[in-house]
Amino acid sequence: MISYTTMSFTNEHVEAAARLFSRNYRAARQMVSSMPACYENHERIVPLLNDMIKRSPAIVALQDGEIVGYLGGHVLREWRGRRTAYAPFWAHAADEEDPDQIYRLLYACLASQWIANGCFQHLVTALAHDTGAREALSWMGFGMVVVDTMRDMTRLHTPANEIRIKQADMNDIETIEKLDNKLATYLAGPPVFLPLIEKRGKQYHEEWLTKPYHALWLASRDGETVAYLKMCPLDADYLVTDEKTIWIQGAYTKKHARGQGIGTALVDHAIAWAQGQGFKRCAVDFESDNALACRLWLKHFRPICYSFARRVDPRIAWAYAGREDKHFWS
Ligand SMILES: CC(C)(COP(=O)(O)OP(=O)(O)OC[C@H]1O[C@@H](n2cnc3c(N)ncnc32)[C@H](O)[C@@H]1OP(=O)(O)O)[C@@H](O)C(=O)NCCC(=O)NCCS
């Protein structure tokens, strides 16, 4: 077994860590060429890592003084109802020779700091091609929760007979609100169980529609609106994107109209529009337990990242390893 040392991630490690990530990303992009090229350049990662180590703890693994892995992240005040430590796709990497050992070592070092900061839920997004990271996460008790996918702008060319698709405007707010609530209700049901805490009202949808490059399409048949799909640019580090990526934020087809190509026709329509606006790629993310979403998206999009979550028993806050005998009273 190879022996590694670990230490806190500091400024002097940034350059080598960024290079390690970019090498890994290049391998990922060979599998899915539609992924943005920018992350192949380690200089794109350097500011992200600099910012990360300023804000939160991170660990590097070394072998003979060379960086073979790193893991960091930041706190999400709330993810699925809990304070969460989150490592985005760029916040970790390991040498491809021994990812299992390296990730185990890094996580064992960092997890206690995440716990000390009140994060009993840990979330890691890994590049989809990175089977080493995925295996290591799975062995460490993480389970898949979200899939990020991407495609280029080639058309799907699907016949959607008798379907009318139109871009929504302010006159459609009521229809949008109804369909959006149906999507939220669907996601709150089995097996996805995403809690429906608050319904989004008219004001939310009005504001959403007025933002640049925000577009929503409605599909109707025989005078009934049966489906919608909405897309917008995404400014977030949880998904591999750049300024040329448009993101599908939501889609819903009423139950009686499903499985007839309406969702696919909406995707095709939306992609044609986005291409006209200068976008080069389209992304969509979805819960891995949403079978209907898997059927639609995995047919036309390629997985680029998987996110894995782990919950630590919160009783560890008081029943910790160094708990003294005098605290065992009841
Ligand atoms: C995902 C969703 C929008 C797809 O819309 P759709 O209009 O059914 O899409 P399509 O007809 O183009 O179908 C896509 C695939 O799913 C299959 N499918 C969809 N609904 C199905 C159903 N009820 N039974 C069997 N197959 C179904 C289709 O057959 C098709 O697969 P195929 O091409 O291999 O035959 C729709 O299923 C839906 O609204 N689901 C609930 C909300 C949701 O999960 N939204 C996505 C959130 S990210």
Side-chain angles (χ1 to χ4, degrees), residues 183 186-187 227-228 249-255 257-265 284-287 290 292-293 295-297 299-300:
L183 173 59
Y186 166 81
L187 294 173
Y228 88 126
Q249 196 193 34
Y252 183 84
T253 300
K254 287 183 184 169
K255 210 167 174 182
R258 285 182 199 155
Q260 297 162 35
I262 299 172
T264 309
V284 61
D285 60 317
F286 54 93
E287 282 65 40
N290 184 352
L292 290 177
R295 280 202 61 164
L296 177 65
W297 305 126
K299 193 161 185 191
H300 305 290

Side-chain angles (χ1 to χ4, degrees), residues 136-211:
L137 289 164
S138 160
W139 277 91
M140 292 188 297
F142 284 76
M144 192 190 288
V145 281
V146 174
V147 184
D148 302 340
T149 64
M150 191 166 270
R151 63 170 287 126
D152 61 22
M153 302 312 247
T154 44
R155 299 285 302 271
L156 279 68
H157 291 300
T158 165
N161 298 331
E162 297 149 29
I163 295 297
R164 236 188 99 238
I165 295 178
K166 70 157 221 160
Q167 187 164 356
D169 58 33
M170 288 300 175
N171 298 317
D172 299 305
I173 294 295
E174 212 163 292
T175 308
I176 295 170
E177 191 185 3
K178 278 190 191 143
L179 288 168
D180 200 64
N181 279 333
K182 278 184 182 290
L183 173 59
T185 307
Y186 166 81
L187 294 173
V192 186
F193 297 124
L194 279 187
L196 174 46
I197 311 281
E198 275 175 12
K199 291 191 172 179
R200 295 197 279 228
K202 288 189 180 53
Q203 196 185 338
Y204 168 89
H205 298 293
E206 279 167 7
E207 284 172 10
W208 191 94
L209 269 186
T210 56
K211 291 184 184 156

Side-chain angles (χ1 to χ4, degrees), residues 30 40 75-76 79 90 96 142 170 193 206 239 241 251 260-262 267 271-272 288 298 301 313:
Q30 272 175 13
E40 289 192 355
V75 173
L76 301 176
W79 183 77
W90 49 264
E96 62 192 356
F142 284 76
M170 288 300 175
F193 297 124
E206 279 167 7
L239 205 114
T241 69
Q260 297 162 35
I262 299 172
V267 175
I271 282 178
S288 54
L298 292 180
F301 291 69
D313 187 334

